[in-house]
Amino acid sequence: MDRLSNTVRPYAWGSTTAIPALLGIAPTGEPQAEMWMGAHPGAPSRITRTTASGETELALTEAIEADPEGELGAATVARFGPRLPFLLKLLAAGAPLSLQVHPNLDQAREGYADEEARGVPIDAPHRTYKDANHKPELICALTPFDGLCGFRRPTEAADAMEALGVDSLKPYVDLLRAHPEEAALREVLTAILTADPAEMADTVAEAAAAAERLGGAHAPYARIAHNYPGDPGVLAAMLLNYVQLQPGEALFLGAGVPHAYLDGLGVEIMANSDNVLRCGLTPKHIDVPELLRIVRFEATEPGVLRPEAAPSGEERYETPVDEFTLSRYTLASGAAPTDLTAPTPQILLCTAGSVTVGELALGPGESAYVPAGETVEAAGSGTLFRATVAA
């Protein structure tokens, strides 16, 4: 078992205070958006191991590469190869993230192979597929958490746009009311993303001013427009369900579901991939044809998840993927230790109180890596999240 030393990513949308407050440290004044826990090559966690020459610090990726089956277990390696198949994060949004969608596994493999065959450099700004993996993800709120998730009914989106009283939105309103559901959503999103940029900037500015005047249900779109003035993603956001999570509630984002996080602190877990297709609220490249191939144009309910009780005090967030599972434990002082031993690799994250895992004491924001099969018990008084591979 190893204590993790983790990297905090300073993306511009990050909160300046949420992660420092959890860790009990002074903010730097710079955005602190995500703390990564795992073996992603972009920012792997670091551990300290005892070797014949003494204590050595190394990246978790290096430890796994040196002994994949010893670290991950033979079953995990057989299913996913010699890599940790998930990435755990603390995510702190102080401003809206980009509006985005993720491919399914077949789409990722096809897209990656196509770009490789065409010789598109992996670091090219117009590259869409960074790897051949899908990227399902789950976000669990630690504080009140706002986001957008999945398309709402076209008639609801039409009502929201019409209420703004902006003449240039009328064609979108008419489309949303005149076509079958899937066609309506597809045509309007296509029109928004392919419109003349200058004309679209004027429309977004008018819509943002109207949303600010109206307030209420329109307030989130005014806030989005404040951070992304003139961005067509402001209008695309109005096609989606607005969701407010309370602490402990979660959202699962499967393939093809457009989404964006707006504000709040949460624990996020995802398959270990960088495949993101953006559809607004970003200066980065938007591959409109590929996006339209990937997006699931269907109205859905957001599907807020609450943990389901399992034996030994485990509360599990059920998802339909194999790469990861996320559980929460609420530990009470004086209670018998909770056995967390598993045949799969684990990352344990404390988010409140003070807990011990094995011989490691963890406070809020501190985490540990447990190799597959290693005996581990948790005790103390606090909240502990467990990330591992689905059985």
Side-chain angles (χ1 to χ4, degrees), residues 93-316:
L97 283 67
S98 64
L99 192 59
Q100 58 188 251
V101 68
H102 305 305
N104 64 33
L105 190 55
D106 288 340
Q107 291 164 341
R109 288 171 175 168
E110 292 168 5
Y112 181 78
D114 174 66
E115 290 188 312
E116 286 289 283
R118 290 191 285 117
V120 181
I122 199 71
D123 58 352
H126 62 285
R127 174 90 185 213
T128 298
Y129 293 96
K130 307 294 186 182
D131 52 68
N133 199 18
H134 63 165
K135 193 185 178 185
E137 61 188 41
L138 179 141
I139 183 80
C140 177
L142 295 179
T143 67
F145 194 97
D146 295 358
L148 304 170
C149 177
F151 289 111
R152 56 180 170 175
R153 295 290 177 189
T155 52
E156 295 176 8
D159 291 343
M161 287 188 178
E162 188 172 47
L164 296 173
V166 176
D167 288 344
S168 52
L169 290 179
K170 189 175 185 304
Y172 304 143
V173 173
D174 292 342
L175 283 170
L176 288 168
R177 290 194 169 135
H179 290 281
E181 186 174 275
E182 180 178 335
L185 294 169
R186 178 181 291 274
E187 288 191 37
V188 172
L189 183 61
T190 302
I192 287 171
L193 296 180
T194 58
D196 176 83
E199 293 179 4
M200 178 55 68
D202 290 340
T203 296
V204 171
E206 287 186 62
E212 189 164 3
R213 286 195 306 271
L214 289 172
H218 288 82
Y221 309 110
R223 179 156 49 97
I224 292 169
H226 176 75
N227 287 278
Y228 297 96
D231 193 304
V234 175
L235 300 184
M238 298 186 72
L239 302 175
L240 307 186
N241 295 297
Y242 173 61
V243 186
Q244 293 180 294
L245 300 179
Q246 296 306 309
E249 294 180 333
L251 283 175
F252 172 73
L253 290 313
V257 178
H259 61 277
Y261 303 142
L262 304 181
D263 183 73
L265 176 67
V267 175
E268 185 182 39
I269 188 168
M270 61 185 62
N272 210 343
S273 170
D274 289 324
N275 286 327
V276 174
L277 287 92
R278 295 174 176 84
C279 42
L281 311 183
T282 178
K284 294 183 179 180
H285 174 66
I286 297 177
D287 185 344
V288 175
E290 186 65 9
L291 175 71
L292 297 176
R293 189 177 77 90
I294 296 301
V295 171
R296 288 168 48 194
F297 287 100
E298 58 183 18
T300 59
E301 294 297 321
V304 174
L305 296 178
R306 294 171 182 84
E308 298 183 14
S312 303
E314 181 184 18
E315 296 177 296
R316 183 180 302 163

Side-chain angles (χ1 to χ4, degrees), residues 6-16 18-20 23 30-37 40 43 87-94 97-98 100 102 135 137 139 145 261 264-270 273-274 276 278:
N6 305 306
T7 298
V8 175
R9 310 306 294 262
Y11 304 134
W13 49 261
S15 167
T16 59
I19 289 178
L23 296 173
E30 298 296 318
Q32 298 189 41
E34 296 180 348
M35 186 171 78
W36 289 18
M37 291 159 278
H40 189 287
L87 176 65
L88 186 67
K89 299 180 181 179
L90 280 172
L91 184 147
L97 283 67
S98 64
Q100 58 188 251
H102 305 305
K135 193 185 178 185
E137 61 188 41
I139 183 80
F145 194 97
Y261 303 142
L265 176 67
V267 175
E268 185 182 39
I269 188 168
M270 61 185 62
S273 170
D274 289 324
V276 174
R278 295 174 176 84

Side-chain angles (χ1 to χ4, degrees), residues 53-69:
S53 57
E55 290 193 341
T56 301
E57 184 183 69
L58 70 161
L60 184 55
T61 46
E62 296 175 291
I64 292 171
E65 287 168 2
D67 184 10
E69 290 198 359

